[in-house]
Amino acid sequence: MLVTEMLKLAPSAEQREALLATMRVCNAAANRAAEVAFEHHTANKIALQKLVYTDLRAGFGLSAQMAIRSISKACEAYKRDKKIKPMFRELGAVAYDQRILTWKGREAVSILTLTGRVVVPVVYRGRWLKTSGATARGQADLLYRDGMFFLAVAIDVPEAPRGDEPDEWLGVDLGIVNLATDSTGETHTGKGVRAVRQRNARLRARLQAKGTKSAKRLLKARRRKESRFACNTNHVISKHLVGKAKDTRTGIALEDLEGIRDRVTVRKAQRADLHSWAFHQLRTFVAYKAAIAGVPVRLVDPRNTSRTCHRCGHCDKRNRPSRDDFTCLGCGFAGPADHNAAINIGRRAVSHAADDAA
């Protein structure tokens, strides 16, 4: 199982300047490659390499592999949207592969710079790299954030052996007000995350309106704080769900919410909540933690799970008179709407498993 981990580096003052200079030149070279890709309407790495490789080597002083990585970065960005010319930040992430970055045990890395290789200590080796049998694989991205250097590394973590397909599945209903509600009735509220987002939105508006140097410094210091809080919340929820499924020897059934932002419409006041809803991140965290723990995960169609009664099967839009409440018009069952939906999600996973077996 491949897991991306952020490892913190501790370069000396001289190494720091060498790394910063290398990042600036690599991103300038990627901008030049992107400009040529846009002019010639090509996202083909081989074709673009023929056009700019010599220029990048001579004009920017890059090594052969650094020039190749800059061309690859430009192609990948241009391929995502060919209507615009990609532009990279001066200190944007720089990709390193095995030819220009090597590990010195697990305590240091040898990184190529414009002035030669430097051996930089790794002061935070993360969680997964220290796991028995885990190895770093593929390329690593060098990042510079808030005055610190990090390596985003893909770690190959051994997966636990999976047994037979479970007979029962823990259904999980994902939402904005309640981030996750499982089929046992346990709810993980999103009240804290929403409160932080709303408070930060008000603070950003005040600071941007003020526009002073101190206001800009505070805005810079607070950036990414909200996303880190939401990310930590999703880690806590996903860890709990996977642990619960492992202890009860069940699988985890999740809604397949791909494209939901394009399918639903909300009032203007709710747009910020919808577009900041990190359901995909939570699903990703559940998936990789479950794979490592040996817990199967199944995605099911969420259609009508919130409108169908889990007791009698009656489906009607009027079964859900409010966001929180479910009242079946067929049998009279009443209860929390998210809990009812989670039970339906778990049952759909059981029926899908039966269809696969057949």
Side-chain angles (χ1 to χ4, degrees), residues 4-9 19 94-96 101-103 108-111 120-122 124-126 129 136 139-144 148-155:
T4 301
E5 187 133 57
M6 298 286 284
L7 311 180
K8 186 177 179 180
L9 305 180
L19 290 174
V94 175
Y96 279 80
L101 182 146
T102 54
W103 287 86
V109 288
S110 173
I111 304 177
V120 183
V122 179
Y124 173 69
R125 295 192 294 276
L129 192 61
Q139 74 176 39
D141 290 341
L142 178 66
L143 296 92
Y144 183 70
M148 298 175 286
F149 287 94
F150 298 90
L151 274 181
V153 183
I155 311 292

PDB file of all heavy atoms in Angstrom, residues 4-9 19 94-96 101-103 108-111 120-122 124-126 129 136 139-144 148-155:
ATOM      1  N   THR A   4       1.566   8.514   1.125  1.00  0.00           N
ATOM      2  CA  THR A   4       2.428   9.692   1.022  1.00  0.00           C
ATOM      3  C   THR A   4       2.646  10.288   2.401  1.00  0.00           C
ATOM      4  O   THR A   4       1.699  10.522   3.146  1.00  0.00           O
ATOM      5  CB  THR A   4       1.813  10.749   0.093  1.00  0.00           C
ATOM      6  OG1 THR A   4       1.627  10.179  -1.199  1.00  0.00           O
ATOM      7  CG2 THR A   4       2.725  11.958  -0.030  1.00  0.00           C
ATOM      8  N   GLU A   5       3.909  10.530   2.725  1.00  0.00           N
ATOM      9  CA  GLU A   5       4.241  11.080   4.044  1.00  0.00           C
ATOM     10  C   GLU A   5       5.135  12.310   3.879  1.00  0.00           C
ATOM     11  O   GLU A   5       5.974  12.381   2.972  1.00  0.00           O
ATOM     12  CB  GLU A   5       4.958  10.033   4.880  1.00  0.00           C
ATOM     13  CG  GLU A   5       5.183  10.448   6.318  1.00  0.00           C
ATOM     14  CD  GLU A   5       4.802   9.354   7.273  1.00  0.00           C
ATOM     15  OE1 GLU A   5       5.348   8.256   7.157  1.00  0.00           O
ATOM     16  OE2 GLU A   5       3.959   9.599   8.153  1.00  0.00           O
ATOM     17  N   MET A   6       4.944  13.290   4.767  1.00  0.00           N
ATOM     18  CA  MET A   6       5.746  14.509   4.765  1.00  0.00           C
ATOM     19  C   MET A   6       6.883  14.347   5.762  1.00  0.00           C
ATOM     20  O   MET A   6       6.644  14.206   6.969  1.00  0.00           O
ATOM     21  CB  MET A   6       4.877  15.710   5.124  1.00  0.00           C
ATOM     22  CG  MET A   6       3.747  15.966   4.149  1.00  0.00           C
ATOM     23  SD  MET A   6       4.315  16.678   2.600  1.00  0.00           S
ATOM     24  CE  MET A   6       4.599  18.356   3.111  1.00  0.00           C
ATOM     25  N   LEU A   7       8.119  14.367   5.272  1.00  0.00           N
ATOM     26  CA  LEU A   7       9.298  14.227   6.116  1.00  0.00           C
ATOM     27  C   LEU A   7      10.002  15.577   6.202  1.00  0.00           C
ATOM     28  O   LEU A   7      10.233  16.235   5.184  1.00  0.00           O
ATOM     29  CB  LEU A   7      10.250  13.177   5.544  1.00  0.00           C
ATOM     30  CG  LEU A   7       9.629  11.835   5.147  1.00  0.00           C
ATOM     31  CD1 LEU A   7      10.686  10.895   4.608  1.00  0.00           C
ATOM     32  CD2 LEU A   7       8.915  11.200   6.336  1.00  0.00           C
ATOM     33  N   LYS A   8      10.337  15.996   7.410  1.00  0.00           N
ATOM     34  CA  LYS A   8      10.954  17.303   7.608  1.00  0.00           C
ATOM     35  C   LYS A   8      12.469  17.199   7.524  1.00  0.00           C
ATOM     36  O   LYS A   8      13.087  16.312   8.115  1.00  0.00           O
ATOM     37  CB  LYS A   8      10.538  17.876   8.968  1.00  0.00           C
ATOM     38  CG  LYS A   8      11.009  19.303   9.192  1.00  0.00           C
ATOM     39  CD  LYS A   8      10.516  19.835  10.523  1.00  0.00           C
ATOM     40  CE  LYS A   8      10.995  21.256  10.757  1.00  0.00           C
ATOM     41  NZ  LYS A   8      10.526  21.783  12.065  1.00  0.00           N
ATOM     42  N   LEU A   9      13.068  18.136   6.768  1.00  0.00           N
ATOM     43  CA  LEU A   9      14.518  18.184   6.598  1.00  0.00           C
ATOM     44  C   LEU A   9      15.117  19.290   7.458  1.00  0.00           C
ATOM     45  O   LEU A   9      14.438  20.265   7.792  1.00  0.00           O
ATOM     46  CB  LEU A   9      14.877  18.425   5.131  1.00  0.00           C
ATOM     47  CG  LEU A   9      14.285  17.455   4.099  1.00  0.00           C
ATOM     48  CD1 LEU A   9      14.738  17.830   2.701  1.00  0.00           C
ATOM     49  CD2 LEU A   9      14.663  16.019   4.423  1.00  0.00           C
ATOM     50  N   LEU A  19      19.500  24.806  -1.817  1.00  0.00           N
ATOM     51  CA  LEU A  19      18.193  24.230  -2.140  1.00  0.00           C
ATOM     52  C   LEU A  19      17.231  25.289  -2.673  1.00  0.00           C
ATOM     53  O   LEU A  19      16.497  25.045  -3.641  1.00  0.00           O
ATOM     54  CB  LEU A  19      17.597  23.563  -0.898  1.00  0.00           C
ATOM     55  CG  LEU A  19      18.288  22.282  -0.413  1.00  0.00           C
ATOM     56  CD1 LEU A  19      17.690  21.824   0.911  1.00  0.00           C
ATOM     57  CD2 LEU A  19      18.180  21.171  -1.449  1.00  0.00           C
ATOM     58  N   VAL A  94       9.445  20.799  -6.248  1.00  0.00           N
ATOM     59  CA  VAL A  94      10.349  20.266  -7.272  1.00  0.00           C
ATOM     60  C   VAL A  94      10.423  18.756  -7.106  1.00  0.00           C
ATOM     61  O   VAL A  94      10.687  18.260  -5.997  1.00  0.00           O
ATOM     62  CB  VAL A  94      11.753  20.895  -7.164  1.00  0.00           C
ATOM     63  CG1 VAL A  94      12.708  20.237  -8.145  1.00  0.00           C
ATOM     64  CG2 VAL A  94      11.686  22.395  -7.408  1.00  0.00           C
ATOM     65  N   ALA A  95      10.193  18.021  -8.183  1.00  0.00           N
ATOM     66  CA  ALA A  95      10.199  16.557  -8.134  1.00  0.00           C
ATOM     67  C   ALA A  95      11.616  16.020  -8.282  1.00  0.00           C
ATOM     68  O   ALA A  95      12.366  16.448  -9.169  1.00  0.00           O
ATOM     69  CB  ALA A  95       9.301  15.996  -9.230  1.00  0.00           C
ATOM     70  N   TYR A  96      11.977  15.081  -7.420  1.00  0.00           N
ATOM     71  CA  TYR A  96      13.266  14.392  -7.466  1.00  0.00           C
ATOM     72  C   TYR A  96      13.003  12.901  -7.650  1.00  0.00           C
ATOM     73  O   TYR A  96      12.112  12.339  -7.005  1.00  0.00           O
ATOM     74  CB  TYR A  96      14.042  14.597  -6.166  1.00  0.00           C
ATOM     75  CG  TYR A  96      14.781  15.911  -6.077  1.00  0.00           C
ATOM     76  CD1 TYR A  96      14.112  17.082  -5.744  1.00  0.00           C
ATOM     77  CD2 TYR A  96      16.148  15.987  -6.310  1.00  0.00           C
ATOM     78  CE1 TYR A  96      14.778  18.293  -5.650  1.00  0.00           C
ATOM     79  CE2 TYR A  96      16.835  17.186  -6.224  1.00  0.00           C
ATOM     80  CZ  TYR A  96      16.139  18.340  -5.891  1.00  0.00           C
ATOM     81  OH  TYR A  96      16.815  19.537  -5.814  1.00  0.00           O
ATOM     82  N   LEU A 101      18.157  11.928  -6.157  1.00  0.00           N
ATOM     83  CA  LEU A 101      17.942  11.872  -4.708  1.00  0.00           C
ATOM     84  C   LEU A 101      18.133  10.437  -4.249  1.00  0.00           C
ATOM     85  O   LEU A 101      17.477   9.522  -4.770  1.00  0.00           O
ATOM     86  CB  LEU A 101      16.536  12.362  -4.349  1.00  0.00           C
ATOM     87  CG  LEU A 101      16.189  12.406  -2.843  1.00  0.00           C
ATOM     88  CD1 LEU A 101      15.250  13.577  -2.541  1.00  0.00           C
ATOM     89  CD2 LEU A 101      15.513  11.105  -2.380  1.00  0.00           C
ATOM     90  N   THR A 102      19.010  10.235  -3.301  1.00  0.00           N
ATOM     91  CA  THR A 102      19.240   8.903  -2.744  1.00  0.00           C
ATOM     92  C   THR A 102      19.200   8.973  -1.225  1.00  0.00           C
ATOM     93  O   THR A 102      19.514  10.004  -0.624  1.00  0.00           O
ATOM     94  CB  THR A 102      20.599   8.331  -3.191  1.00  0.00           C
ATOM     95  OG1 THR A 102      21.642   9.274  -2.877  1.00  0.00           O
ATOM     96  CG2 THR A 102      20.611   8.060  -4.691  1.00  0.00           C
ATOM     97  N   TRP A 103      18.812   7.846  -0.619  1.00  0.00           N
ATOM     98  CA  TRP A 103      18.692   7.787   0.836  1.00  0.00           C
ATOM     99  C   TRP A 103      19.988   7.318   1.462  1.00  0.00           C
ATOM    100  O   TRP A 103      20.659   6.411   0.956  1.00  0.00           O
ATOM    101  CB  TRP A 103      17.558   6.845   1.236  1.00  0.00           C
ATOM    102  CG  TRP A 103      16.206   7.421   0.965  1.00  0.00           C
ATOM    103  CD1 TRP A 103      15.504   7.373  -0.199  1.00  0.00           C
ATOM    104  CD2 TRP A 103      15.418   8.184   1.883  1.00  0.00           C
ATOM    105  NE1 TRP A 103      14.321   8.054  -0.072  1.00  0.00           N
ATOM    106  CE2 TRP A 103      14.225   8.559   1.197  1.00  0.00           C
ATOM    107  CE3 TRP A 103      15.579   8.578   3.217  1.00  0.00           C
ATOM    108  CZ2 TRP A 103      13.233   9.307   1.800  1.00  0.00           C
ATOM    109  CZ3 TRP A 103      14.588   9.314   3.814  1.00  0.00           C
ATOM    110  CH2 TRP A 103      13.427   9.672   3.117  1.00  0.00           C
ATOM    111  N   ALA A 108      19.044  10.480   6.612  1.00  0.00           N
ATOM    112  CA  ALA A 108      19.486  11.582   5.756  1.00  0.00           C
ATOM    113  C   ALA A 108      19.221  11.240   4.294  1.00  0.00           C
ATOM    114  O   ALA A 108      19.041  10.074   3.924  1.00  0.00           O
ATOM    115  CB  ALA A 108      20.972  11.871   5.975  1.00  0.00           C
ATOM    116  N   VAL A 109      19.184  12.296   3.449  1.00  0.00           N
ATOM    117  CA  VAL A 109      19.029  12.116   2.008  1.00  0.00           C
ATOM    118  C   VAL A 109      20.107  12.920   1.289  1.00  0.00           C
ATOM    119  O   VAL A 109      20.507  13.996   1.743  1.00  0.00           O
ATOM    120  CB  VAL A 109      17.637  12.569   1.513  1.00  0.00           C
ATOM    121  CG1 VAL A 109      16.573  11.591   1.945  1.00  0.00           C
ATOM    122  CG2 VAL A 109      17.305  13.974   1.990  1.00  0.00           C
ATOM    123  N   SER A 110      20.570  12.374   0.178  1.00  0.00           N
ATOM    124  CA  SER A 110      21.526  13.069  -0.680  1.00  0.00           C
ATOM    125  C   SER A 110      20.750  13.681  -1.850  1.00  0.00           C
ATOM    126  O   SER A 110      20.145  12.960  -2.639  1.00  0.00           O
ATOM    127  CB  SER A 110      22.581  12.091  -1.206  1.00  0.00           C
ATOM    128  OG  SER A 110      23.417  12.722  -2.157  1.00  0.00           O
ATOM    129  N   ILE A 111      20.741  15.032  -1.919  1.00  0.00           N
ATOM    130  CA  ILE A 111      19.933  15.752  -2.896  1.00  0.00           C
ATOM    131  C   ILE A 111      20.851  16.539  -3.838  1.00  0.00           C
ATOM    132  O   ILE A 111      21.761  17.243  -3.392  1.00  0.00           O
ATOM    133  CB  ILE A 111      18.961  16.729  -2.196  1.00  0.00           C
ATOM    134  CG1 ILE A 111      18.085  15.984  -1.191  1.00  0.00           C
ATOM    135  CG2 ILE A 111      18.090  17.443  -3.215  1.00  0.00           C
ATOM    136  CD1 ILE A 111      17.160  16.891  -0.402  1.00  0.00           C
ATOM    137  N   VAL A 120      21.420  15.974   3.508  1.00  0.00           N
ATOM    138  CA  VAL A 120      20.585  16.738   4.433  1.00  0.00           C
ATOM    139  C   VAL A 120      19.962  15.778   5.450  1.00  0.00           C
ATOM    140  O   VAL A 120      19.350  14.778   5.066  1.00  0.00           O
ATOM    141  CB  VAL A 120      19.470  17.499   3.671  1.00  0.00           C
ATOM    142  CG1 VAL A 120      18.657  18.353   4.638  1.00  0.00           C
ATOM    143  CG2 VAL A 120      20.074  18.362   2.571  1.00  0.00           C
ATOM    144  N   PRO A 121      20.082  16.088   6.739  1.00  0.00           N
ATOM    145  CA  PRO A 121      19.457  15.225   7.760  1.00  0.00           C
ATOM    146  C   PRO A 121      17.925  15.269   7.691  1.00  0.00           C
ATOM    147  O   PRO A 121      17.331  16.305   7.384  1.00  0.00           O
ATOM    148  CB  PRO A 121      19.950  15.820   9.087  1.00  0.00           C
ATOM    149  CG  PRO A 121      21.116  16.692   8.722  1.00  0.00           C
ATOM    150  CD  PRO A 121      20.863  17.182   7.334  1.00  0.00           C
ATOM    151  N   VAL A 122      17.308  14.133   7.982  1.00  0.00           N
ATOM    152  CA  VAL A 122      15.848  14.043   8.103  1.00  0.00           C
ATOM    153  C   VAL A 122      15.531  14.045   9.595  1.00  0.00           C
ATOM    154  O   VAL A 122      15.845  13.093  10.305  1.00  0.00           O
ATOM    155  CB  VAL A 122      15.298  12.768   7.435  1.00  0.00           C
ATOM    156  CG1 VAL A 122      13.788  12.680   7.588  1.00  0.00           C
ATOM    157  CG2 VAL A 122      15.682  12.728   5.957  1.00  0.00           C
ATOM    158  N   TYR A 124      12.371  14.577  10.991  1.00  0.00           N
ATOM    159  CA  TYR A 124      11.101  13.910  11.279  1.00  0.00           C
ATOM    160  C   TYR A 124      10.861  12.870  10.209  1.00  0.00           C
ATOM    161  O   TYR A 124      10.660  13.199   9.040  1.00  0.00           O
ATOM    162  CB  TYR A 124       9.937  14.909  11.320  1.00  0.00           C
ATOM    163  CG  TYR A 124       8.579  14.216  11.443  1.00  0.00           C
ATOM    164  CD1 TYR A 124       8.236  13.554  12.615  1.00  0.00           C
ATOM    165  CD2 TYR A 124       7.683  14.204  10.383  1.00  0.00           C
ATOM    166  CE1 TYR A 124       7.016  12.906  12.734  1.00  0.00           C
ATOM    167  CE2 TYR A 124       6.453  13.551  10.495  1.00  0.00           C
ATOM    168  CZ  TYR A 124       6.135  12.909  11.671  1.00  0.00           C
ATOM    169  OH  TYR A 124       4.933  12.246  11.791  1.00  0.00           O
ATOM    170  N   ARG A 125      10.928  11.591  10.598  1.00  0.00           N
ATOM    171  CA  ARG A 125      10.817  10.507   9.628  1.00  0.00           C
ATOM    172  C   ARG A 125       9.393   9.996   9.494  1.00  0.00           C
ATOM    173  O   ARG A 125       9.158   8.980   8.840  1.00  0.00           O
ATOM    174  CB  ARG A 125      11.761   9.366  10.016  1.00  0.00           C
ATOM    175  CG  ARG A 125      13.223   9.756   9.942  1.00  0.00           C
ATOM    176  CD  ARG A 125      14.128   8.571  10.047  1.00  0.00           C
ATOM    177  NE  ARG A 125      14.064   7.929  11.338  1.00  0.00           N
ATOM    178  CZ  ARG A 125      14.749   8.317  12.411  1.00  0.00           C
ATOM    179  NH1 ARG A 125      15.510   9.399  12.338  1.00  0.00           N
ATOM    180  NH2 ARG A 125      14.657   7.667  13.542  1.00  0.00           N
ATOM    181  N   GLY A 126       8.423  10.694  10.114  1.00  0.00           N
ATOM    182  CA  GLY A 126       7.039  10.319   9.941  1.00  0.00           C
ATOM    183  C   GLY A 126       6.685   9.043  10.684  1.00  0.00           C
ATOM    184  O   GLY A 126       7.459   8.496  11.463  1.00  0.00           O
ATOM    185  N   LEU A 129       7.392   5.490   7.608  1.00  0.00           N
ATOM    186  CA  LEU A 129       8.758   5.107   7.251  1.00  0.00           C
ATOM    187  C   LEU A 129       9.414   4.303   8.366  1.00  0.00           C
ATOM    188  O   LEU A 129      10.315   3.500   8.118  1.00  0.00           O
ATOM    189  CB  LEU A 129       9.589   6.357   6.931  1.00  0.00           C
ATOM    190  CG  LEU A 129      10.946   6.121   6.265  1.00  0.00           C
ATOM    191  CD1 LEU A 129      10.770   5.417   4.927  1.00  0.00           C
ATOM    192  CD2 LEU A 129      11.699   7.421   6.078  1.00  0.00           C
ATOM    193  N   ALA A 136      10.749   3.527   1.091  1.00  0.00           N
ATOM    194  CA  ALA A 136      10.444   4.689   0.253  1.00  0.00           C
ATOM    195  C   ALA A 136      10.559   4.278  -1.207  1.00  0.00           C
ATOM    196  O   ALA A 136      11.508   3.594  -1.604  1.00  0.00           O
ATOM    197  CB  ALA A 136      11.396   5.832   0.567  1.00  0.00           C
ATOM    198  N   GLN A 139       9.552   8.730  -6.911  1.00  0.00           N
ATOM    199  CA  GLN A 139      10.055  10.077  -6.758  1.00  0.00           C
ATOM    200  C   GLN A 139       9.581  10.705  -5.457  1.00  0.00           C
ATOM    201  O   GLN A 139       8.627  10.251  -4.832  1.00  0.00           O
ATOM    202  CB  GLN A 139       9.621  10.949  -7.936  1.00  0.00           C
ATOM    203  CG  GLN A 139       8.163  11.350  -7.923  1.00  0.00           C
ATOM    204  CD  GLN A 139       7.812  12.284  -9.070  1.00  0.00           C
ATOM    205  OE1 GLN A 139       8.301  12.109 -10.183  1.00  0.00           O
ATOM    206  NE2 GLN A 139       6.965  13.253  -8.808  1.00  0.00           N
ATOM    207  N   ALA A 140      10.282  11.757  -5.042  1.00  0.00           N
ATOM    208  CA  ALA A 140       9.900  12.536  -3.868  1.00  0.00           C
ATOM    209  C   ALA A 140       9.847  13.996  -4.281  1.00  0.00           C
ATOM    210  O   ALA A 140      10.624  14.443  -5.123  1.00  0.00           O
ATOM    211  CB  ALA A 140      10.906  12.331  -2.741  1.00  0.00           C
ATOM    212  N   ASP A 141       8.908  14.734  -3.702  1.00  0.00           N
ATOM    213  CA  ASP A 141       8.761  16.155  -4.010  1.00  0.00           C
ATOM    214  C   ASP A 141       9.370  16.985  -2.898  1.00  0.00           C
ATOM    215  O   ASP A 141       9.031  16.806  -1.714  1.00  0.00           O
ATOM    216  CB  ASP A 141       7.284  16.523  -4.171  1.00  0.00           C
ATOM    217  CG  ASP A 141       6.675  15.923  -5.429  1.00  0.00           C
ATOM    218  OD1 ASP A 141       7.443  15.556  -6.332  1.00  0.00           O
ATOM    219  OD2 ASP A 141       5.440  15.818  -5.504  1.00  0.00           O
ATOM    220  N   LEU A 142      10.260  17.900  -3.270  1.00  0.00           N
ATOM    221  CA  LEU A 142      10.861  18.823  -2.312  1.00  0.00           C
ATOM    222  C   LEU A 142       9.956  20.045  -2.194  1.00  0.00           C
ATOM    223  O   LEU A 142       9.649  20.700  -3.189  1.00  0.00           O
ATOM    224  CB  LEU A 142      12.260  19.243  -2.780  1.00  0.00           C
ATOM    225  CG  LEU A 142      12.989  20.247  -1.887  1.00  0.00           C
ATOM    226  CD1 LEU A 142      13.315  19.631  -0.529  1.00  0.00           C
ATOM    227  CD2 LEU A 142      14.268  20.737  -2.568  1.00  0.00           C
ATOM    228  N   LEU A 143       9.524  20.348  -0.964  1.00  0.00           N
ATOM    229  CA  LEU A 143       8.627  21.472  -0.719  1.00  0.00           C
ATOM    230  C   LEU A 143       9.255  22.443   0.269  1.00  0.00           C
ATOM    231  O   LEU A 143      10.002  22.034   1.170  1.00  0.00           O
ATOM    232  CB  LEU A 143       7.285  20.991  -0.158  1.00  0.00           C
ATOM    233  CG  LEU A 143       6.412  20.099  -1.048  1.00  0.00           C
ATOM    234  CD1 LEU A 143       6.700  18.636  -0.782  1.00  0.00           C
ATOM    235  CD2 LEU A 143       4.944  20.371  -0.799  1.00  0.00           C
ATOM    236  N   TYR A 144       8.911  23.719   0.102  1.00  0.00           N
ATOM    237  CA  TYR A 144       9.361  24.765   1.023  1.00  0.00           C
ATOM    238  C   TYR A 144       8.131  25.472   1.560  1.00  0.00           C
ATOM    239  O   TYR A 144       7.397  26.123   0.812  1.00  0.00           O
ATOM    240  CB  TYR A 144      10.267  25.756   0.284  1.00  0.00           C
ATOM    241  CG  TYR A 144      10.834  26.844   1.166  1.00  0.00           C
ATOM    242  CD1 TYR A 144      11.800  26.547   2.119  1.00  0.00           C
ATOM    243  CD2 TYR A 144      10.413  28.164   1.021  1.00  0.00           C
ATOM    244  CE1 TYR A 144      12.332  27.543   2.925  1.00  0.00           C
ATOM    245  CE2 TYR A 144      10.938  29.163   1.821  1.00  0.00           C
ATOM    246  CZ  TYR A 144      11.897  28.855   2.775  1.00  0.00           C
ATOM    247  OH  TYR A 144      12.420  29.838   3.575  1.00  0.00           O
ATOM    248  N   MET A 148      10.478  26.204   6.106  1.00  0.00           N
ATOM    249  CA  MET A 148      10.978  24.856   6.368  1.00  0.00           C
ATOM    250  C   MET A 148      10.930  24.006   5.099  1.00  0.00           C
ATOM    251  O   MET A 148      10.096  24.235   4.226  1.00  0.00           O
ATOM    252  CB  MET A 148      10.139  24.191   7.467  1.00  0.00           C
ATOM    253  CG  MET A 148      10.198  24.896   8.808  1.00  0.00           C
ATOM    254  SD  MET A 148       9.085  24.169  10.042  1.00  0.00           S
ATOM    255  CE  MET A 148       7.495  24.755   9.419  1.00  0.00           C
ATOM    256  N   PHE A 149      11.831  23.026   5.027  1.00  0.00           N
ATOM    257  CA  PHE A 149      11.888  22.116   3.881  1.00  0.00           C
ATOM    258  C   PHE A 149      11.287  20.769   4.265  1.00  0.00           C
ATOM    259  O   PHE A 149      11.526  20.252   5.368  1.00  0.00           O
ATOM    260  CB  PHE A 149      13.342  21.907   3.434  1.00  0.00           C
ATOM    261  CG  PHE A 149      13.939  23.086   2.725  1.00  0.00           C
ATOM    262  CD1 PHE A 149      14.678  24.029   3.429  1.00  0.00           C
ATOM    263  CD2 PHE A 149      13.754  23.253   1.359  1.00  0.00           C
ATOM    264  CE1 PHE A 149      15.221  25.119   2.773  1.00  0.00           C
ATOM    265  CE2 PHE A 149      14.300  24.345   0.704  1.00  0.00           C
ATOM    266  CZ  PHE A 149      15.034  25.281   1.417  1.00  0.00           C
ATOM    267  N   PHE A 150      10.514  20.222   3.326  1.00  0.00           N
ATOM    268  CA  PHE A 150       9.895  18.911   3.523  1.00  0.00           C
ATOM    269  C   PHE A 150      10.092  18.074   2.268  1.00  0.00           C
ATOM    270  O   PHE A 150      10.224  18.604   1.161  1.00  0.00           O
ATOM    271  CB  PHE A 150       8.397  19.044   3.800  1.00  0.00           C
ATOM    272  CG  PHE A 150       8.052  19.807   5.042  1.00  0.00           C
ATOM    273  CD1 PHE A 150       7.869  21.182   5.003  1.00  0.00           C
ATOM    274  CD2 PHE A 150       7.908  19.150   6.255  1.00  0.00           C
ATOM    275  CE1 PHE A 150       7.545  21.894   6.146  1.00  0.00           C
ATOM    276  CE2 PHE A 150       7.580  19.849   7.409  1.00  0.00           C
ATOM    277  CZ  PHE A 150       7.399  21.225   7.352  1.00  0.00           C
ATOM    278  N   LEU A 151      10.076  16.768   2.466  1.00  0.00           N
ATOM    279  CA  LEU A 151      10.025  15.824   1.351  1.00  0.00           C
ATOM    280  C   LEU A 151       8.698  15.088   1.410  1.00  0.00           C
ATOM    281  O   LEU A 151       8.355  14.489   2.439  1.00  0.00           O
ATOM    282  CB  LEU A 151      11.161  14.806   1.425  1.00  0.00           C
ATOM    283  CG  LEU A 151      12.514  15.166   0.824  1.00  0.00           C
ATOM    284  CD1 LEU A 151      13.460  13.988   0.989  1.00  0.00           C
ATOM    285  CD2 LEU A 151      12.413  15.556  -0.640  1.00  0.00           C
ATOM    286  N   ALA A 152       7.910  15.155   0.338  1.00  0.00           N
ATOM    287  CA  ALA A 152       6.692  14.360   0.225  1.00  0.00           C
ATOM    288  C   ALA A 152       7.087  13.051  -0.452  1.00  0.00           C
ATOM    289  O   ALA A 152       7.412  13.025  -1.642  1.00  0.00           O
ATOM    290  CB  ALA A 152       5.642  15.096  -0.589  1.00  0.00           C
ATOM    291  N   VAL A 153       7.074  11.988   0.325  1.00  0.00           N
ATOM    292  CA  VAL A 153       7.625  10.704  -0.123  1.00  0.00           C
ATOM    293  C   VAL A 153       6.526   9.645  -0.167  1.00  0.00           C
ATOM    294  O   VAL A 153       5.673   9.585   0.728  1.00  0.00           O
ATOM    295  CB  VAL A 153       8.750  10.236   0.828  1.00  0.00           C
ATOM    296  CG1 VAL A 153       9.386   8.947   0.328  1.00  0.00           C
ATOM    297  CG2 VAL A 153       9.807  11.317   0.978  1.00  0.00           C
ATOM    298  N   ALA A 154       6.545   8.830  -1.202  1.00  0.00           N
ATOM    299  CA  ALA A 154       5.631   7.690  -1.289  1.00  0.00           C
ATOM    300  C   ALA A 154       6.256   6.516  -0.537  1.00  0.00           C
ATOM    301  O   ALA A 154       7.358   6.071  -0.867  1.00  0.00           O
ATOM    302  CB  ALA A 154       5.376   7.318  -2.739  1.00  0.00           C
ATOM    303  N   ILE A 155       5.554   6.037   0.498  1.00  0.00           N
ATOM    304  CA  ILE A 155       6.039   4.940   1.334  1.00  0.00           C
ATOM    305  C   ILE A 155       5.233   3.689   1.024  1.00  0.00           C
ATOM    306  O   ILE A 155       4.000   3.706   1.040  1.00  0.00           O
ATOM    307  CB  ILE A 155       5.894   5.271   2.833  1.00  0.00           C
ATOM    308  CG1 ILE A 155       6.468   6.663   3.157  1.00  0.00           C
ATOM    309  CG2 ILE A 155       6.555   4.201   3.680  1.00  0.00           C
ATOM    310  CD1 ILE A 155       7.949   6.772   3.020  1.00  0.00           C
TER     311      ILE A 155
END
